[in-house]
Amino acid sequence: MHTTMSNNTITDHVSTVDGVEVHTDHWINGRWVASADRFEDRSPIDGSHLADVAAGGGSEVDAAVAAARAAFPAWAALGPAGRAPILRRFAELINEHVDDIATVESVDNGSLLTGLKHAVVPRAALNVSFFAEHALTLGETIESPQVSNRVRFDPSGVAALITPWNAPFMLTTWKVGPALAAGNTIVVKPPEWAPLTAALLAQLSAQAGLPDGVLNLVQGIGSAAGAALVAHEDVDRISFTGSTPTARSIGRAAAETLTPVSFELGGKSPFVVLADADLDAAAQTIVAQYMNAGQVCLSGTRIIVDASIADELLDKVRTHTAALIVGDPRQPATRIGPLIHPTHAARVDGFVERARAAGARVLWGGGRHDAGELYYQPTMFDHVAHDSELFRSEVFGPVLSWHTVADADEAIAVANDQDYGLAATLFGRDATRTTYVADRLVAGTVWVNCYYVRELAAPFGGSRNSGIGREGGTWSFDFFCDVKNVATRHDSLTTSPHAGN
Ligand code: NAD
């Protein structure tokens, strides 16, 4: 097999994407493993054919889980201090390969190249190094009158890690970092619409000295490879980031094996602007909700504005939006790249057309952009009914809705009128009122006068249909570990010179 399209080439199970070689097979037990079945991966930038990627199923998942199980005892036995040097090296290697990873991810999923280079991929490296260090701090002793309670964070076994396409490399490391630091071995199932940078991660893990079988990768379609992985009886943890409907299906599979799940799901987050807000900062941050063509789970898509400042704010948002350049995400001036896939673009279009038909008014945008088939205009609706599809469903495209309210209490009511609860953004100056609103918003994260700031030590996750559990800092280890209490009666032990077994 040898195909050439634009500056991408495909030879046997290795693709060259904008000059970077990427393996397109599974990574199992420290080597590349092919499958007879393969699926096509195309770039959202121009539809060019990037790769024919191995499509795994039950047998590849069995092999990967078996490799992870075999590697588990030795990796667990290293302890946090033994694992840390390898994980630090892994993080360093990610940083050393930022350009390659960013190049491939931009072509594979359409994210802005500059953002990937300067923020997203460095952040991915930090995901690995942060959790390696954090693991060294875990454990405590709680004294009670009769006993000493020694709390241990023991590795749980084999973790299945499943990620979506909108920020695949970063989101994968957000799970890989703590799962490995906790002493688990892992099987990663990358997203089929952006599968390539996971292969770079696997390659770097081997260079870092991760023993064979500690990190495995099974490529494939969600309903085959993903479903086989979450149903596997020898998987001890499932950490999933993706859509709410898929989570329901994974939850049903996990119920059969009683495997603990961590779910980071979709959202329909509110963006509240109070009467005394800094309107310039609020306007710029509203426009940032179009980031990644709106394909961001945290995006504040329902803009809820105090009526007294609504006209002035809308003018500012309109002006900033008009300046956004839509186009090739590899060009430094571009602010909005393509949607991921023709199926997804049709879905976004469907939401917009149905909203229009239901009586919502397009303030700007409202259709495809002339940059190409998958490019969509940043769009704003008003007159959106609170029981409408657009108010209640996640579009996952550059589509926002504008709502005016009389006061802070009505803003809270409109914001919380939702089945989701992932994030909320709030702009306002008065500390008492802003705190009053922030404390009443139902969301895993509330940003006040800022957006998208994520501290790795802080909890992250969703309320309601936006997720189950929290990850970040110690919360990640609560999930990935078997937390154990060793309760020892005071003064019941002697110390021997032959410590250990
Ligand atoms: P998706 O649910 O379709 O797919 C996510 C992953 O699950 C993919 O790897 C897919 O192959 C796999 N999968 C699909 N069916 C499966 C099954 N039956 N069993 C096991 N795995 C299966 O989601 P998507 O379209 O890739 O991603 C977009 C969604 O992800 C949006 O809803 C977005 O809000 C959400 N998301 C959430 C967060 C967060 O942190 N909360 C972050 C990014 C994206």
Side-chain angles (χ1 to χ4, degrees):
M1 175 175 54
H2 193 288
T3 326
T4 306
M5 298 209 64
S6 60
N7 46 358
N8 305 316
T9 58
I10 304 173
T11 52
D12 283 333
H13 307 178
V14 175
S15 288
T16 306
V17 177
D18 273 9
V20 184
E21 286 200 346
V22 190
H23 286 269
T24 58
D25 285 334
H26 316 290
W27 175 255
I28 298 174
N29 209 18
R31 62 191 186 90
W32 298 108
V33 176
S35 281
D37 289 341
R38 306 191 79 81
F39 67 93
E40 204 178 56
D41 180 34
R42 289 184 176 273
S43 172
I45 297 175
D46 55 6
S48 59
H49 183 193
L50 298 177
D52 290 311
V53 180
S59 59
E60 289 84 354
V61 165
D62 285 347
V65 173
R69 176 61 59 196
F72 173 64
W75 181 245
L78 281 179
R83 292 187 289 268
I86 301 172
L87 295 176
R88 285 185 197 121
R89 181 68 193 129
F90 192 9
E92 277 168 15
L93 284 165
I94 293 172
N95 273 324
E96 286 168 21
H97 291 80
V98 161
D99 285 354
D100 285 356
I101 297 163
T103 297
V104 174
E105 186 120 310
S106 183
V107 173
D108 202 19
N109 92 333
S111 293
L112 299 186
L113 183 60
T114 47
L116 286 162
K117 277 188 184 172
H118 299 298
V120 179
V121 181
R123 169 56 177 245
L126 191 62
N127 283 341
V128 175
S129 57
F130 169 85
F131 287 106
E133 304 305 332
H134 196 82
L136 298 168
T137 70
L138 295 171
E140 61 179 313
T141 300
I142 302 165
E143 296 296 351
S144 49
Q146 285 183 315
V147 296
S148 188
N149 300 278
R150 188 162 54 84
V151 180
R152 288 177 51 85
F153 284 73
D154 289 342
S156 62
V158 176
L161 312 180
I162 302 182
T163 45
W165 46 262
N166 63 320
F169 192 81
M170 196 282 287
L171 289 171
T172 301
T173 57
W174 167 248
K175 300 179 184 308
V176 165
L180 291 179
N184 296 334
T185 52
I186 60 178
V187 179
V188 177
K189 210 301 280 174
E192 57 267 46
W193 282 352
L196 297 183
T197 48
L200 299 179
L201 188 73
Q203 211 165 351
L204 296 177
S205 77
Q207 282 178 35
L210 228 66
D212 291 352
V214 170
L215 181 153
N216 305 277
L217 188 70
V218 177
Q219 296 281 14
I221 306 300
S223 56
L229 182 58
V230 297
H232 203 290
E233 293 203 339
D234 208 21
V235 164
D236 300 289
R237 291 291 186 276
I238 299 169
S239 177
F240 168 75
T241 300
S243 67
T244 302
T246 304
R248 290 203 173 92
S249 151
I250 294 175
R252 282 190 287 274
E256 286 300 314
T257 52
L258 280 184
T259 305
V261 295
S262 168
F263 285 163
E264 297 187 346
L265 310 178
K268 189 74 192 180
S269 297
F271 189 117
V272 176
V273 187
L274 301 176
D276 64 346
D278 174 341
L279 297 191
D280 288 316
Q284 277 169 11
T285 314
I286 289 169
V287 173
Q289 309 308 304
Y290 291 128
M291 188 168 78
N292 216 24
Q295 302 168 125
V296 176
C297 57
L298 300 163
S299 184
T301 47
R302 294 177 299 131
I303 317 296
I304 300 165
V305 182
D306 191 285
S308 64
I309 44 96
D311 289 347
E312 189 183 347
L313 182 62
L314 188 65
D315 280 347
K316 289 178 190 287
V317 176
R318 191 195 303 273
T319 304
H320 287 303
T321 304
L324 295 174
I325 295 175
V326 179
D328 188 325
R330 296 167 295 188
Q331 298 302 324
T334 299
R335 290 292 165 269
I336 300 185
L339 295 169
I340 183 76
H341 191 275
T343 304
H344 186 59
R347 187 174 172 273
V348 171
D349 225 9
F351 277 111
V352 169
E353 288 314 314
R354 290 190 298 277
R356 227 196 281 262
R361 181 174 66 169
V362 174
L363 292 175
W364 56 76
R368 309 247 181 175
H369 191 278
D370 58 15
E373 187 203 347
L374 297 188
Y375 296 80
Y376 213 83
Q377 297 175 52
T379 296
M380 180 73 83
F381 278 100
D382 71 353
H383 297 175
V384 174
H386 295 181
D387 60 353
S388 68
E389 180 190 56
L390 188 63
F391 188 86
R392 311 206 77 84
S393 303
E394 183 184 47
V395 176
F396 225 51
V399 181
L400 309 179
S401 59
W402 186 266
H403 309 269
T404 52
V405 290
D407 55 24
D409 281 317
E410 190 185 352
I412 296 166
V414 174
N416 287 344
D417 183 8
Q418 256 319 290
D419 296 328
Y420 289 110
L422 187 57
T425 304
L426 171 62
F427 273 74
R429 278 203 183 92
D430 179 80
T432 306
R433 185 169 42 230
T434 305
T435 304
Y436 172 86
V437 175
D439 289 355
R440 283 160 182 76
L441 293 172
V442 180
T445 301
V446 180
W447 283 292
V448 179
N449 298 323
C450 61
Y451 172 62
Y452 216 66
V453 185
R454 278 182 59 186
E455 164 56 48
L456 285 172
F460 176 79
S463 302
R464 297 178 171 164
N465 288 352
S466 289
I468 293 180
R470 296 290 181 270
E471 294 187 29
T474 303
W475 288 270
S476 291
F477 293 94
D478 277 341
F479 173 70
F480 281 116
C481 293
D482 285 324
V483 181
K484 180 165 78 185
N485 180 23
V486 181
T488 306
R489 186 164 62 77
H490 288 314
D491 304 324
S492 65
L493 300 179
T494 57
T495 37
S496 97
H498 313 292
N501 53 5

